Amino acid sequence: MDPLTYEVIRHRIWSITEEMGEALKRMSGSPIVTDANDFDFAIGDEFGQEVQVGLYNTGLVGAVDLAVYWTLQNRATNPGIEEGDMFLCNDPWVGGGLHQSDVIIYQPVFHDGKLFAWTSGICHEPDLGGVGLGSFSPAAQDVFSEALPTPPVKIVRGGQLQADMADMWTRRSRVPMLVGLDLRAQVGANNVGRQRLLEVIKRYGADTVKAVMKRMMADSENRLRGKLKSLPDGTWRATGYQDQSHEGDRSLHKITVAMTKKDDHLTFDFTGTDPQAGMINCTYAGMRGGVMIALLPILAHDIPWSAGGLMRCFDLVSEEGTINNATFPAAVSRGPIGPAWLTGTLVAECLSQMLDRSVDLGKSVQAACCGTWDTAVIAGLDERGEVPVPFLNILMEPMAGGYGARPQADGMDTGGLFCIPMGRIPDTEMSEFLYPMLVLWRREETDSGGPGRMRGGVSASLAFTPHGTSVPMGLVLASAGKAVSQNTGLSGGYPGNTGLDLVVRDVDVFEMLRGGVVPETLDELGGAIEIGQCYAQSDVKPGEVLYMHWQGGGGYGDPLLRSPEAVEADLIAGKVTVTAAEEIYGVAYDESSEHVDQARTQSLRLRIRDERKQRSTVEAVSGTRPILNVSHGRRIDDNLVEVRVDDSVLVACAHCGVQLADTATDDELWLGTFDGAPRTAGPQVTSDHATYVDGEVVFRQYCCPNCWTAVFSSIVPVEHPEHARTIALLGPEARALAMQAQ
């Protein structure tokens, strides 16, 4: 077809998903939808392949089509798939969502009596039953403690919402009115999608529209394959951890991935990931969604998001019964914001290492976003009206996470989540209007962004007290990244802050307010601090304070290489403290003149490099390592270059030129190693790992043993694999590639 017709219809299909999103938000009463945009839409072809997805929660992209495939295989005969039908599903083993709280309503679209397409709308529900508030049970050991997973059922038949099914659905929830509104809003949004799609068919013809749908997927596939072909083949690895698996657990749980790129195809191999445990699991749909969380913004940001085509470009390898490929009946309520999110972070790390080698595509490199979602659910009795009513609220403030830094840009401060491009933070006054709470502060937190040549985006904190209720609020906490880093940096960049949730006991905020004191810090509140574990159930009494400090983004590059002028600007803006400027960035700030002292800064940075030398262990090598000419070397990342000397392929420090490896003989880079207390990483470490886990956790840093530039910096278990030493693709694979290149 002619290009103009193709583009017009393609954009019409895209606009349908946007209109479906607006329809849902107008009809829904849930702040999760109306304020935070935690939902998404998709239009698929007759097989369910995703032709166009929305720009909302992109993790859901990896699961929507699976529900349609399952329905075609298992519901076509009984109860049948007919015009005017819609299906409901919240079974993460079937698909559609990443845990039971993700509910998909989807429908077949018929034209001339034939199945033509599918539309779907999916959103997170505030509560669908189970033992824990908000359907999060911190103590869960299996799915039977959580919300009931429902395989696809026909919720609309012949255009009519089935009252019996709707009543059965809302009965399970602690907030049935909100769940009922969302159900009808999703049905309405699908009606909008079907109507608009049929209008496009009527105007342009079914054959033309279907040809556009197929070509959209093919074009996205071809563009991604073309991008992959331009990148070097190789294997990149990353490993991350979830601290604790359930209430009372004090262990670390590993997810590991090896990403292999060959020609125009990717393989993500998760072999070696720990067995499923507690509530920190996700199903295959969650693992697939985690891959899409990273792939869409990092590798396909400039390609139309026709996910059905993009997903043809990669394979998944995983052992069943593991954290991110859990088998029934594992507890999976933490799925999208635990293992799926961590999967996405690790895939993003691998993709960034691959892209960092490219001058053209390196701009897409990004350190880890805010690490994870800090979940806090509150519920109780709202007594502000004439009649007390129960309430339940999932605090959505952590939507303002810090973005990861890029090679040429700082991470966005409180910029959001990279898995929800159109996410928003709720309006504080609206939260206080809807729920019995008084917000004391909600603000960006100094030093929360990961230090680096480019700084990670800072995060924020929230402090509130119950207001308008005389009874304690129930509290459920579910998070990670409090003992180990989930917001790691790249190329020597430091991780962002560790998370911290706590309740201030033995304090009466209202007495302070009556005395004319508005507390602005935890120190001003006084009282007794009760630190919340990663997974816990507790309460908050009137007068007490719940404090949440979620995570910022990871940094990029050694912080000693950051421009002193940029550090000065951060100091003035309150992004970093004088302590961090001196101890981490090596920048001396004269507070009297409000300017950097350049001479002291140079001296301070030399002293920090010498401290790195004194504290690090370096493996002895025979002879001296040569200094190579790196001016024409091929970039590996911010600190490493590949240099060809005669028939040898060598790896050198990009800053001083010292040879760090010969790919023909060395399996690892020659680096200085330091393991120290996590707090040596800087003031962004806000909590003590021993509060949460029993295992030994360290701040690990690898440096060039000649100029002492940081190559890798993170907070990890002491047994963390040495991926950073093979960042240059050393070992048998690299040797084979080097031989091919020669």
Side-chain angles (χ1 to χ4, degrees):
M1 69 188 69
D2 67 276
L4 181 60
T5 300
Y6 172 70
E7 287 298 327
V8 168
I9 296 175
R10 182 176 73 84
H11 280 79
R12 282 290 300 273
I13 292 173
W14 183 1
S15 71
I16 292 172
T17 61
E18 295 298 300
E19 189 173 353
M20 291 173 71
E22 290 303 314
L24 176 68
K25 292 176 67 173
R26 285 195 297 268
M27 290 183 279
S28 171
S30 170
I32 296 172
V33 171
T34 59
D35 283 10
N37 286 347
D38 188 359
F39 61 86
D40 213 342
F41 291 90
I43 295 174
D45 66 3
E46 70 274 22
F47 301 116
Q49 298 179 100
E50 293 167 274
V51 173
Q52 180 65 53
V53 299
L55 301 177
Y56 300 98
N57 188 334
T58 56
L60 303 173
V61 169
V64 169
D65 57 337
L66 299 177
V68 177
Y69 301 156
W70 194 96
T71 302
L72 287 166
Q73 291 175 335
N74 297 279
R75 294 291 185 260
T77 302
N78 183 6
I81 302 172
E82 300 176 2
E83 194 162 1
D85 289 346
M86 291 188 194
F87 294 87
L88 176 151
C89 175
N90 78 322
D91 188 330
W93 282 275
V94 169
L98 310 189
H99 61 168
Q100 301 95 305
S101 295
D102 292 333
V103 181
I104 183 172
I105 305 290
Y106 55 109
Q107 67 170 347
V109 177
F110 287 81
H111 176 72
D112 286 345
K114 296 179 180 180
L115 180 59
F116 185 87
W118 293 81
T119 71
S120 62
I122 182 172
C123 63
H124 180 101
E125 293 300 329
D127 185 275
L128 290 173
V131 175
L133 301 175
S135 302
F136 288 100
S137 174
Q141 294 293 301
D142 56 48
V143 75
F144 301 112
S145 296
E146 302 178 333
L148 178 68
T150 303
V153 295
K154 193 173 289 191
I155 193 72
V156 174
R157 189 185 299 269
Q160 294 294 318
L161 180 67
Q162 301 299 287
D164 56 347
M165 298 300 299
D167 290 345
M168 181 192 71
W169 179 248
T170 57
R171 181 68 168 174
R172 67 179 66 192
S173 177
R174 294 172 175 86
V175 283
M177 183 176 293
L178 286 180
V179 172
L181 277 172
D182 274 353
L183 171 61
R184 288 160 176 79
Q186 287 173 276
V187 170
N190 272 284
N191 283 334
V192 169
R194 181 181 65 247
Q195 180 181 342
R196 294 292 182 261
L197 188 56
L198 290 176
E199 288 171 356
V200 176
I201 293 171
K202 181 177 180 180
R203 178 167 182 176
Y204 295 99
D207 289 345
T208 300
V209 174
K210 181 55 66 69
V212 169
M213 295 170 74
K214 300 294 187 182
R215 180 174 162 184
M216 286 172 66
M217 291 186 286
D219 281 357
S220 293
E221 176 188 1
N222 291 335
R223 289 180 62 178
L224 181 54
R225 290 191 184 279
K227 182 178 289 190
L228 289 172
K229 275 190 173 183
S230 71
L231 293 163
D233 288 349
T235 298
W236 294 262
R237 294 177 173 83
T239 298
Y241 305 87
Q242 296 184 89
D243 26 18
Q244 304 183 358
S245 67
H246 63 279
E247 193 173 38
D249 180 40
R250 293 183 57 82
S251 302
L252 290 165
H253 304 268
K254 175 182 67 179
I255 295 179
T256 187
V257 60
M259 182 191 82
T260 298
K261 181 264 169 181
K262 185 174 182 180
D263 194 26
D264 62 356
H265 196 80
L266 292 169
T267 298
F268 300 101
D269 188 343
F270 296 94
T271 301
T273 295
D274 282 351
Q276 59 195 51
M279 64 173 292
I280 59 168
N281 314 294
C282 69
T283 66
Y284 173 84
M287 176 176 59
R288 195 163 172 253
V291 171
M292 294 302 288
I293 283 173
L295 188 142
L296 288 173
I298 292 180
L299 199 56
H301 65 93
D302 55 351
I303 299 173
W305 284 5
S306 189
L310 297 173
M311 287 191 284
R312 299 170 188 166
C313 300
F314 65 81
D315 294 320
L316 302 178
V317 178
S318 175
E319 302 156 294
E320 291 188 344
T322 51
I323 294 174
N324 61 353
N325 190 8
T327 54
F328 189 85
V332 293
S333 61
R334 181 72 183 161
I337 45 183
W341 195 311
L342 180 55
T343 294
T345 298
L346 298 176
V347 169
E349 183 177 340
C350 291
L351 290 173
S352 291
Q353 291 177 34
M354 176 179 69
L355 291 171
D356 219 352
R357 286 174 154 249
S358 169
V359 175
D360 296 329
L361 301 178
K363 61 181 180 293
S364 299
V365 169
Q366 179 180 309
C369 186
C370 58
T372 187
W373 176 266
D374 192 2
T375 304
V377 184
I378 56 173
L381 197 63
D382 187 346
E383 299 175 327
R384 294 175 296 173
E386 294 182 3
V387 179
V389 294
F391 76 92
L392 184 146
N393 179 32
I394 300 176
L395 297 171
M396 301 302 289
E397 274 72 13
M399 189 70 71
Y403 255 68
R406 297 175 180 272
Q408 301 302 327
D410 289 342
M412 290 183 289
D413 299 320
T414 56
L417 314 176
F418 81 148
C419 59
I420 306 183
M422 295 180 67
R424 302 193 313 165
I425 190 170
D427 183 281
T428 294
E429 293 182 353
M430 182 57 67
S431 295
E432 292 178 329
F433 172 75
L434 292 172
Y435 306 107
M437 56 189 291
L438 176 66
V439 176
L440 302 178
W441 70 77
R442 189 179 78 180
R443 61 173 176 239
E444 290 186 344
E445 288 289 350
T446 306
D447 286 338
S448 55
R453 181 176 64 77
M454 307 309 297
R455 175 181 53 77
V458 302
S459 64
S461 69
L462 168 74
F464 81 88
T465 187
H467 179 55
T469 180
S470 62
V471 297
M473 291 180 175
L475 172 66
V476 166
L477 296 176
S479 186
K482 295 179 177 180
V484 294
S485 295
Q486 289 198 324
N487 49 359
T488 54
L490 289 173
S491 295
Y494 288 29
N497 65 294
T498 49
L500 178 63
D501 298 322
L502 58 86
V503 178
V504 183
R505 307 286 190 192
D506 303 330
V507 64
D508 189 343
V509 171
F510 298 108
E511 186 65 28
M512 300 176 71
L513 295 174
R514 283 190 288 268
V517 176
V518 180
E520 296 182 355
T521 66
L522 292 174
D523 289 339
E524 290 181 36
L525 285 169
I529 300 297
E530 180 183 296
I531 296 178
Q533 293 293 308
C534 296
Y535 301 99
Q537 301 177 77
S538 186
D539 60 53
V540 186
K541 300 177 181 65
E544 297 180 336
V545 175
L546 173 66
Y547 171 84
M548 302 175 65
H549 182 191
W550 49 94
Q551 298 174 60
Y556 183 91
D558 189 335
L560 292 183
L561 299 176
R562 185 164 177 80
S563 159
E565 291 72 26
V567 177
E568 179 181 304
D570 284 344
L571 283 162
I572 295 171
K575 307 296 183 182
V576 301
T577 60
V578 172
T579 299
E582 293 189 353
E583 294 180 359
I584 308 302
Y585 290 98
V587 172
Y589 184 67
D590 187 335
E591 295 187 67
S592 60
S593 66
E594 297 186 345
H595 287 293
V596 169
D597 185 325
Q598 296 290 351
R600 282 184 57 215
T601 293
Q602 184 176 3
S603 175
L604 193 56
R605 289 186 164 181
L606 288 173
R607 191 192 79 192
I608 293 174
R609 290 181 185 274
D610 187 61
E611 288 174 353
R612 289 178 179 177
K613 177 179 180 180
Q614 298 304 320
R615 73 188 188 185
S616 298
T617 301
V618 183
E619 182 180 350
V621 294
S622 58
T624 58
R625 290 284 176 130
I627 303 299
L628 306 176
N629 179 2
V630 297
S631 60
H632 298 292
R634 180 178 179 179
R635 177 186 174 91
I636 294 175
D637 64 11
D638 213 41
N639 305 308
L640 304 172
V641 294
E642 183 183 277
V643 180
R644 294 182 180 273
V645 178
D646 298 326
D647 293 332
S648 299
V649 180
L650 310 175
V651 177
C653 173
H655 308 290
C656 68
V658 67
Q659 179 181 318
L660 300 177
D662 183 335
T663 61
T665 58
D666 297 326
D667 292 325
E668 295 181 343
L669 297 172
W670 179 57
L671 298 171
T673 303
F674 168 71
D675 278 2
R679 289 193 182 276
T680 57
Q684 74 272 24
V685 182
T686 54
S687 54
D688 182 358
H689 71 278
T691 303
Y692 307 100
V693 299
D694 293 329
E696 185 179 358
V697 175
V698 298
F699 171 58
R700 178 165 294 168
Q701 189 168 63
Y702 297 134
C703 294
C704 167
N706 185 56
C707 66
W708 297 101
T709 298
V711 173
F712 171 85
S713 309
S714 193
I715 298 172
V716 295
V718 70
E719 63 271 15
H720 182 73
E722 297 187 340
H723 294 322
R725 286 186 174 274
T726 58
I727 195 172
L729 304 188
L730 303 181
E733 294 167 344
R735 294 188 196 113
L737 293 173
M739 293 300 294
Q740 290 177 7
Q742 293 173 17

